[in-house]
């Protein structure tokens, strides 16, 4: 359970927290405001009564940092119990962080910053991977290789406690290792199995709120039984009935209570599952359509993904597509994340390779070029003193929406600037990476405008480049200018992006990135 509870300057986390008292839950979702604005009807209709109310003073970044700090310390303590001190001191630790498939670039950057502040490492010592991608690496590796062919398309459904994330992959190669690429961008929503608990609690409250013996302790006992037994074993078959402890409640035949136990029929449990399952089915069908190809199988992972009822409902909805529950589905994400981390450390450990990922948006930069009356809008032209002609800013889209972006093929963006020599050494230059979501798939626009938004502001520290490497030229206005010519190399990984400064093929290190 992702939760944290503060007591003055101290805090408890995870299973240290008792049954009662306010606590912060599912706070990582607040790292991505875009996801909060897409909150589902389930989240609005069935809020967690134990969750701290919106508007609390503690920021999502602090909550995540404190939680990750506690997690790191716990992991190190367990390792001290398992390994000799000499082995721990001589073995470098590397951490792998997983994030939802629908995480924005800004949320990925915030998550990475929280992990760094939590002491989980810097640079290449800290790995990040999307949750369904990690699960896919494990699930596909665990499949019978004889059932996989080049061109096969799979939908991975990671159904957990808070969110359900989906992503699709197409097999690109089988040798020397299984190689897959994204068949469509990921999707997801707040419709995990925790909402089953919330609906169950709401139904019980509505049923027994007028009983004088009803209190939080009764609710807690009943919820434990529902969470640990009923929602995991429910199959939706005829004649299913379940006994739920409700200690202290009076016998009431009309409400199904006898000797401190509540009889809940299969139909009543089905009514609890139905709002959540409908949300999941909509996600699955949407993901299948987005692949625009024949899907061979749907792979279910995550705790909720092991539900027999959810599996059977998906099977009934997708026709001839095979629906499989991955082995070790509860831990498929962390197992896949470990596989990814080991592969980064030593390629010999790599058994599944993600060769490319589908771009969710158009990515580009605004660039200045000579104005052409036959091609450009005259109202957008601007006079350039240096060039002595009219110039215009148009978009250069270096990644098109839906294009496959390869991790081992970085993009290099070339920049040309002129700076007056009288202004001194060109120490810092800022530039923006712009995006266009293009929801109607009509194509990226020519000009920066309403449909184009800023993704990240990059600040290149040019003071690291010797001044004599920038030539001086006389402009059309007779002034002396430095000609600044450099590149920013962009490498897109599973769940973060790296920006580096390059000049004359010399790498001058990281470029500062501030996401909007």
């Amino acid at each position: 359970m992702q939760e944290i509870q503060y007591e003055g300057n101290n805090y408890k986390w995870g299973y240290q927290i008792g049954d009662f008292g306010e606590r912060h839950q599912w706070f990582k979702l607040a790292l991505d405001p875009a996801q909060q604005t897409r909150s589902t009807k389930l989240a609005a209709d069935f809020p967690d009564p134990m969750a701290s109310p919106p508007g609390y003073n503690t920021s999502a970044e602090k909550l995540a940092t404190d939680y990750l700090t506690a997690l790191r310390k716990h992991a190190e303590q367990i390792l001290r119990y398992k390994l000799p001190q000499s082995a721990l001191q001589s073995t470098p630790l590397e951490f792998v962080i997983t994030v939802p498939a629908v995480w924005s670039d800004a949320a990925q950057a915030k998550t990475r910053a929280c992990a760094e502040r939590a002491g989980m490492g810097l640079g290449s010592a800290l790995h990040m991977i999307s949750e369904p991608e990690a699960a896919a690496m494990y699930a596909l590796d665990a499949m019978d290789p004889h059932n996989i062919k080049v061109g096969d398309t799979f939908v991975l459904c990671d159904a957990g406690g808070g969110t359900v994330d989906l992503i699709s992959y197409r097999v690109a190669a089988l040798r020397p290792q299984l190689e897959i690429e994204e068949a469509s961008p990921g999707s997801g929503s707040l419709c995990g199995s925790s909402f089953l608990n919330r609906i169950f609690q709401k139904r019980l409250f509505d049923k027994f709120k007028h009983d004088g013996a009803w209190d939080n302790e009764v609710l807690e006992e009943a919820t434990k039984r529902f969470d640990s037994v009923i929602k995991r074993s429910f199959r939706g078959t005829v004649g299913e009935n379940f006994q739920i402890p409700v200690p202290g409640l009076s016998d009431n035949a009309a409400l199904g209570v006898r000797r401190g136990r509540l009889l809940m029929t299969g139909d009543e449990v089905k009514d609890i599952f139905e709002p959540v399952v409908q949300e999941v089915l909509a996600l699955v069908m949407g993901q299948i359509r987005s692949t625009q190809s024949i899907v061979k199988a749907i792979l279910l992972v995550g705790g909720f993904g092991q539900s027999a009822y959810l599996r059977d409902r998906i099977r009934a909805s997708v026709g001839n597509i095979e629906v499989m529950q991955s082995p070790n589905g509860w831990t498929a994400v962390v197992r896949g994340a470990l596989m990814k981390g080991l592969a980064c450390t030593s390629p010999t450990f790599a058994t599944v390779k993600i060769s490319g990922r589908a771009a969710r948006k158009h990515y580009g930069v605004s660039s200045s070029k000579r104005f052409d009356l036959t091609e450009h809008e005259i109202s957008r032209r601007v006079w350039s003193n240096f060039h002595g002609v009219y110039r215009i800013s148009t978009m250069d889209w270096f990644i098109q929406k839906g294009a496959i972006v390869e991790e081992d093929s970085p993009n290099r963006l070339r920049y040309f600037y002129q700076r007056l020599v009288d202004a001194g050494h060109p120490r810092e230059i800022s530039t923006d990476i712009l995006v266009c979501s293009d929801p109607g798939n009509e194509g990226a626009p020519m000009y920066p405008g309403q449909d184009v938004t800023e993704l990240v502001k990059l600040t290149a520290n040019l003071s690291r480049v010797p001044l004599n490497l920038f030539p001086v030229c006389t402009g059309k206005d007779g002034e002396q200018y430095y000609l600044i010519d450099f590149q920013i190399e962009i490498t897109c990984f599973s769940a973060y992006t790296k920006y580096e400064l390059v000049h004359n093929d010399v790498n001058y290190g990281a470029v500062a990135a501030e996401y909007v």
Side-chain angles (χ1 to χ4, degrees):
M1 172 67 74
Q2 181 201 116
E3 58 183 18
I4 192 168
Q5 183 182 66
Y6 287 91
E7 297 176 346
N9 293 326
N10 300 317
Y11 59 84
K12 296 179 180 178
W13 70 292
Y15 290 105
Q16 293 177 344
I17 301 173
D19 295 334
F20 305 106
E22 283 192 350
R23 73 285 309 274
H24 302 280
Q25 292 182 331
W26 311 115
F27 43 82
K28 79 173 186 181
L29 299 174
L31 292 172
D32 193 351
Q35 302 310 312
Q36 291 187 301
T37 60
R38 289 198 288 265
S39 181
T40 62
K41 188 174 185 299
L42 281 175
D45 290 346
F46 302 101
D48 192 313
M50 290 297 181
S52 293
Y56 46 69
N57 293 327
T58 309
S59 69
E61 286 88 342
K62 175 172 172 52
L63 293 169
T65 299
D66 287 348
Y67 188 88
L68 291 174
T69 300
L71 187 62
R72 173 186 61 79
K73 290 180 178 178
H74 177 71
E76 291 172 346
Q77 183 181 49
I78 295 299
L79 289 174
R80 284 195 292 270
Y81 293 153
K82 302 287 185 180
L83 299 175
Q85 185 67 25
S86 58
L88 280 177
Q89 291 177 341
S90 61
T91 305
L93 290 181
E94 295 186 12
F95 289 85
V96 184
I97 303 294
T98 63
V99 296
V102 292
W103 233 221
S104 68
D105 297 83
Q108 291 173 7
K110 287 181 183 178
T111 305
R112 188 175 184 85
C114 291
E116 290 174 349
R117 288 194 294 269
M120 289 185 166
L122 301 169
S124 60
L126 178 61
H127 309 276
M128 288 182 61
I129 182 173
S130 76
E131 289 163 4
E133 183 171 311
M137 291 184 70
Y138 175 76
L140 289 171
D141 183 62
M143 284 183 65
D144 181 354
H146 298 97
N147 290 333
I148 302 176
K149 298 180 178 62
V150 172
D152 284 348
T153 299
F154 297 88
V155 171
L156 190 288
C157 176
D158 176 15
T163 62
V164 175
D165 290 322
L166 295 95
I167 200 163
S168 303
Y169 291 101
R170 186 172 294 111
V171 177
L174 299 175
R175 300 284 185 273
Q177 61 186 352
L178 178 60
E179 190 173 318
I180 58 177
E181 63 182 19
E182 282 189 15
S184 67
S187 57
S189 188
L190 295 171
C191 54
S193 64
S194 65
F195 289 97
L196 299 175
N197 293 29
R198 299 184 189 186
I199 297 171
F200 170 79
Q201 292 172 339
K202 178 71 163 53
R203 299 285 165 84
L204 258 62
F205 175 79
D206 291 343
K207 197 170 195 175
F208 297 113
K209 60 185 176 183
H210 298 300
D211 191 313
W214 173 259
D215 59 18
N216 282 338
E217 291 186 12
V218 178
L219 178 63
E220 185 65 30
E221 283 297 313
T223 302
K224 283 181 180 178
R225 178 72 176 180
F226 178 81
D227 183 68
S228 62
V229 177
I230 297 173
K231 80 177 186 182
R232 301 186 187 195
S233 60
F234 176 65
R235 300 183 64 92
T237 56
V238 177
E240 273 187 301
N241 291 304
F242 300 93
Q243 297 285 337
I244 299 171
V246 284
L249 296 190
S250 305
D251 288 359
N252 187 323
L255 296 179
V257 179
R258 184 171 182 270
R259 295 182 179 178
R261 304 188 76 81
L262 168 68
L263 175 66
M264 180 169 277
T265 67
D267 285 341
E268 289 176 306
V269 178
K270 182 178 178 181
D271 286 342
I272 292 172
F273 268 75
E274 198 58 22
V276 182
V277 170
Q278 287 296 333
E279 292 272 359
V280 177
L281 290 178
L283 286 171
V284 170
M285 300 308 294
Q287 186 67 203
I288 291 172
R289 287 192 297 270
S290 70
T291 66
Q292 299 182 344
S293 59
I294 297 174
V295 173
K296 180 170 183 176
I298 298 170
L299 306 178
L300 296 177
V301 300
F304 192 21
Q306 305 315 293
S307 163
Y309 182 70
L310 178 63
R311 178 200 62 204
D312 293 343
R313 287 297 305 277
I314 293 175
R315 280 178 176 168
S317 300
V318 299
N320 296 326
I321 300 174
E322 189 174 3
V323 180
M324 298 182 291
Q325 290 172 312
S326 171
N328 301 304
W330 285 84
T331 56
V333 171
V334 293
R335 289 169 183 265
L338 179 60
M339 290 171 61
K340 174 69 172 180
L342 290 172
C344 291
T345 303
S346 176
T348 58
F349 286 108
T351 56
V352 179
K353 178 184 178 182
I354 311 291
S355 62
R357 302 174 182 89
R360 274 63 170 165
K361 303 174 182 179
H362 302 286
Y363 293 80
V365 294
S366 175
S367 65
S368 173
K369 48 181 61 73
R370 189 185 184 103
F371 174 75
D372 185 339
L373 185 60
T374 64
E375 184 179 348
H376 301 133
E377 296 178 9
I378 194 169
S379 61
R380 295 177 177 270
R381 67 180 185 176
V382 176
W383 181 259
S384 168
N385 290 330
F386 174 79
H387 293 95
V389 295
Y390 282 107
R391 308 279 290 181
I392 191 168
S393 293
T394 63
M395 290 301 305
D396 282 344
W397 300 103
F398 59 90
I399 296 177
Q400 297 287 332
K401 181 180 179 180
I404 298 300
V405 180
E406 298 178 356
E407 190 170 289
D408 52 2
S409 298
N411 283 285
R412 279 194 178 184
L413 306 184
R414 194 167 187 179
Y415 292 87
F416 296 95
Y417 288 95
Q418 301 83 38
R419 177 183 173 87
L420 285 167
V421 171
D422 290 345
H425 193 298
R427 299 189 180 280
E428 284 189 349
I429 288 184
S430 294
T431 185
D432 297 329
I433 302 293
L434 306 175
V435 293
C436 175
S437 59
D438 190 17
N441 295 320
E442 299 172 351
M446 175 181 288
Y447 302 108
Q450 185 176 3
D451 297 329
V452 178
T453 58
E454 183 182 352
L455 170 68
V456 60
K457 180 177 290 294
L458 303 177
T459 302
N461 183 2
L462 297 178
S463 64
R464 290 174 284 184
V465 182
L467 183 61
N468 63 350
L469 295 182
F470 297 123
V472 176
C473 178
T474 303
K476 293 295 184 180
D477 57 358
E479 298 285 350
Q480 297 288 297
Y481 290 84
Y482 287 117
L483 298 184
I484 305 168
D485 177 3
F486 66 94
Q487 295 172 306
I488 293 180
E489 184 172 276
I490 303 176
T491 307
C492 300
F493 295 97
S494 171
Y496 74 100
T497 304
K498 181 174 68 175
Y499 304 94
E500 294 180 304
L501 172 65
V502 177
H503 183 268
N504 287 346
D505 288 328
V506 177
N507 190 308
Y508 286 90
V511 171
E514 181 180 353
Y515 285 89
V516 177

